[in-house]
Every structure is written in structure tokens, then in C-alpha cells.
Amino acid sequence: MSKLRLVAHISISIVFTLAILSHYIGYASTKNDLMVLKINGPIKPSTADYLERMIAKAESNESPGILIELNTPGGMLDATRRIVSSFLESDVPIITYVSPSGARAGSAGTFLVAASHIAAMAPTTNIGAASPVLSDGSDLNKTLASKATQDTAALMRSIAETRGRNVKALEATVLNAKAYSSEEALEAHIIDYIAEDRDQLLAILDGETVETKSGSKTISTASMNLYEGKRNWKEKFLDAVGDPNITFILLTIGSIALTIEFVSPGILVGGFVGLLATALAFVGMGQLPVNWFAMVLILAALILFVIETQGAGIGLFAIGGTICFGLGGFLLYGDFGDNPLQGNIFTLSMWLLGLVILVLSVLVFFLILALRDSIARGSPSNYSTLIGSEGIVKTTLNPNGTVLVGSEMWSATSLSNLKIDSGRSVVISNYDGVQLIVAEKSKEL
């Protein structure tokens, strides 16, 4: 077994071991521990994973309750439905607290607050505006808006009826994009309490009785301890790579590295970096509402870049590839209504997109210059003068690689597709297009 393969096997084993341990190792908690969870940011699949895991843990430990301190602008509909379902099916009291002051439970967050057993807000917080919109914040077209609105409104009505909250007031957050301050939400019976801070909320909740899936539960905060339920390494990792800008950077690095590896095979570092970055990008996109038409544009850009390296477009294919890549990045997180609660949360920084396009444009400029120089050097008369010359293999020919002839590096392939290791002397026997055909110096031509 080669050293590279051994390292790969060991790495995979470590990853699987950590994945298994992450489900069993955590901070110890007891029956008197009230779990405190923090949701600060968009609602994504990793958020649903985190909440589902902690609810299951609280149930197994017979915890007196779960306090979720919430501050979110909204999120993805599928993840929101998963969380709502876990709230409604929970045997442990779920308490949501929109805090600190200035926080909000926007869009998808409204559903989480409505679905909890007890809902509270800090002063100067707000809740609502859960109308379906596109990922860029714009309104849906009439037909799609009607379908998405009725679907989400029906979900909100069922939640409000189950929890005994104001159906019309909560339905208005979907149908009319209505938003409420904490005082308005309390008056409209959307929430149960307003509390200045966590301590005041716990004092208010002492002795409160709620109906869970398994029956009535009374919350006693006098003797309970607080247990902070933290995300495990997997959830933290998914949160990190699920950032739209990080995902796009990984996709850009992967695309460039894979293109280089395809054009100049044998550069293993480029291929490894390209595959790793692309794999991480796809993991991140699993946490985001991705427009797959944009991915087609990015794939088309890579194909155009590869075609350009063959010297066929004299710059036109590279320019077209840059345009496709930029347009694909601009549209990458547009879902056209598949996740109607997300609003304009999942967006790519236009500064980052502009910087990537600028870098690609510079690379394209130098590529065009290099191609023109290659074409000038690569005319039949110039190539014919190389026949019989000697060179040194710089990248192993298997059968393709690179050869140093004089002071210039050339793409080359070995005669009869034989493997020639780097450092060996070769003789140019012929050429095919812009590629030299070589044989080992000791071999007969």
C-alpha cells in the first residue's frame, strides 16, 4: 500500500470515528437541567439537525424543559417544517425567547415561536413578516405567490390552533406580511410573556403548566440548573461551509484547480485541492437554497475554459467562460420560490463576486497572451526545428506530462504511450498540434 493511500485510509477512519463519537459524547446533563439553546442566524438544515438532536437528548434525560433564545431573520421552509414538527411532537416543554433587545423572529422564526409551548420576547424585539418571497427579497409572481402563500398560511393556522394562539393575527404575518413589536404580539396573544432578561423569564415560568405530547408538565425553575446545549463538530462544520460566501469561494477554488489539473494532468496537488474544495462546496450548498441552473452556467464556464486552453477560441471561449461564471455566481442562491420563507437572507456578496470576476479576467488576459505566444511558437515550421532536440522530463509522462526543452516548458506525450519518469532525458521525435511527442534518449526513435 502506498503512503498516499495509507494516509487517506487513516484520515477516513478518523473522520468516521469522530462522526460516531459526536452522537454519544457531550456535556453531562441531569433531570434538573433546563437546556438552553441559542439560535442566532438563518434557519438551515444544520439548525434543524441541532434542535432535533437536543430535543431527543432532553427527552432521554427527562429534562424539565428547553429554552431556545432566538434571533433569526428567517430561513428555509423545509428546515422550518422539520423544526415545527419536532416542537409539536416533543414530550419536553419548548420555550422560545426572542432576545436580546433588538432581536427578531422574522419569517421562519415566527413559525418556531408559534409552535413552542411557551413563547416570550424581550422588550424592543419584533416578530412576523412571514410572507413568501424570492431569495432576493422580491415578490413571487401571482400564481406562485398564491400557491406558496396558501400553503404557508395553512401551516401557520394549524400551528396557531394547536397551541391556542391568535389564528388571525398569526395568519396575517403570512397573508399580509404583518409584523408585531413585543408589546403588540403580547396584546394580540401571539406570545405569552415579555421578559427583560433570562432570569426574569425563569422567575415568571416557575410553576407554569403546559400540555406536551405525553401529557401535562409543570415547570419548576426554583431548583433547576441551566445546561447549555452546544452544537457538535458536525453542526458547526455545516454552519461554517453553509455560509454563501464561503461556499462560493470553495466552488471558485475547486473550479480553477480542476481546470488546471485537466489541462496539465499529473499535477496531483491541483487535482486534490480541486476535488476537496468542490466536495466542500457541495456540502455547503446542501445547507443553502441553490439554483441549479446557475450550477449549469458554472459548469459551462469550466468547459469553455478547457476549450480555450486548446487554443481554439483565441480568447473568445475564455471571455465567454468568465461571463458564464459571473452570471452563475450571481444567480447561485436564487431558488425561484422553492423555499419561500428565506427572503434575502442567503445572498452572495457582490464585492466578492466582483473580486472573483476581476481575478478571472486577469487570468483570462494572461491566458490569451500565453496562447498567442504558443500559437506563434507553435507553427509547423517552428515545431519542425525542435525534432531531434533533447529535453528533460519535468512532470512524469504517463503518457502525458511536461518537458523542458532549452528554457521553455512544453506539453508532451511519450512515444507509444510509455511511462517516462521525471528527470529522464528525452528526444523530440514528432509533434501533434501543440503537443510534443518524445522518446527516452536511450530508446530508438
Side-chain angles (χ1 to χ4, degrees), residues 245-263 267-282 285 295 298-299 301-303 305-306 325 356 360 363:
N245 294 315
I246 292 178
T247 299
F248 184 68
I249 291 173
L250 289 170
L251 187 62
T252 302
I253 293 173
S255 300
I256 293 174
L258 287 177
T259 301
I260 292 173
E261 180 66 24
F262 184 86
V263 172
I267 306 177
L268 297 180
V269 174
F272 173 76
V273 170
L275 289 174
L276 179 61
T278 303
L280 291 176
F282 274 90
M285 285 187 284
M295 286 300 301
I298 292 174
L299 179 61
L302 300 186
I303 294 173
F305 288 146
V306 171
F325 198 92
V356 168
L360 285 177
L363 292 176

Side-chain angles (χ1 to χ4, degrees), residues 420-432:
I420 305 177
D421 294 327
S422 60
R424 301 299 293 270
S425 296
V426 293
V427 177
I428 292 87
S429 62
N430 208 335
Y431 61 90
D432 182 11

Side-chain angles (χ1 to χ4, degrees), residues 111-225:
F111 288 80
L112 272 58
V113 172
S116 58
H117 296 96
I118 299 174
M121 297 174 68
T124 65
T125 56
N126 64 281
I127 184 173
S131 295
V133 291
L134 290 173
S135 63
D136 61 359
S138 60
D139 294 332
L140 302 173
N141 65 59
K142 187 175 181 180
T143 302
L144 188 57
S146 177
K147 179 181 177 181
T149 299
Q150 292 304 317
D151 181 58
T152 51
L155 176 62
M156 183 64 84
R157 284 196 302 271
S158 65
I159 294 171
E161 290 168 356
T162 300
R163 292 297 187 224
R165 304 194 188 281
N166 189 328
V167 175
K168 289 187 177 180
L170 282 168
E171 190 179 44
T173 64
V174 177
L175 298 178
N176 305 317
K178 179 71 174 177
Y180 302 91
S181 67
S182 54
E183 291 78 10
E184 292 169 337
L186 181 64
E187 184 178 349
H189 193 45
I190 292 173
I191 62 171
D192 304 299
Y193 303 106
I194 293 178
E196 292 283 348
D197 52 33
R198 183 195 295 173
D199 291 338
Q200 186 182 47
L201 176 61
L202 293 178
I204 292 172
L205 294 180
D206 190 32
E208 182 82 11
T209 300
V210 298
E211 288 294 329
T212 68
K213 193 71 174 177
S214 59
S216 298
K217 297 288 180 69
T218 299
I219 301 172
S220 176
T221 61
S223 60
M224 69 171 49
N225 302 312

Side-chain angles (χ1 to χ4, degrees), residues 33-75:
D33 286 345
L34 175 73
M35 282 193 174
V36 179
L37 313 180
K38 294 182 182 293
I39 304 298
N40 187 17
I43 304 299
K44 300 184 288 188
S46 60
T47 312
D49 292 341
Y50 168 55
L51 291 176
E52 288 173 342
R53 181 175 63 85
M54 297 312 298
I55 290 173
K57 183 173 184 177
E59 290 176 339
S60 65
N61 292 342
E62 299 180 11
S63 175
I66 297 176
L67 173 61
I68 301 173
E69 296 181 344
L70 183 66
N71 180 15
T72 178

Side-chain angles (χ1 to χ4, degrees), residues 336-353:
F336 300 104
D338 292 335
N339 292 285
L341 295 181
Q342 68 195 35
N344 58 351
I345 302 166
F346 303 102
T347 56
L348 179 66
S349 167
M350 291 299 100
W351 287 100
L352 175 61
L353 180 61

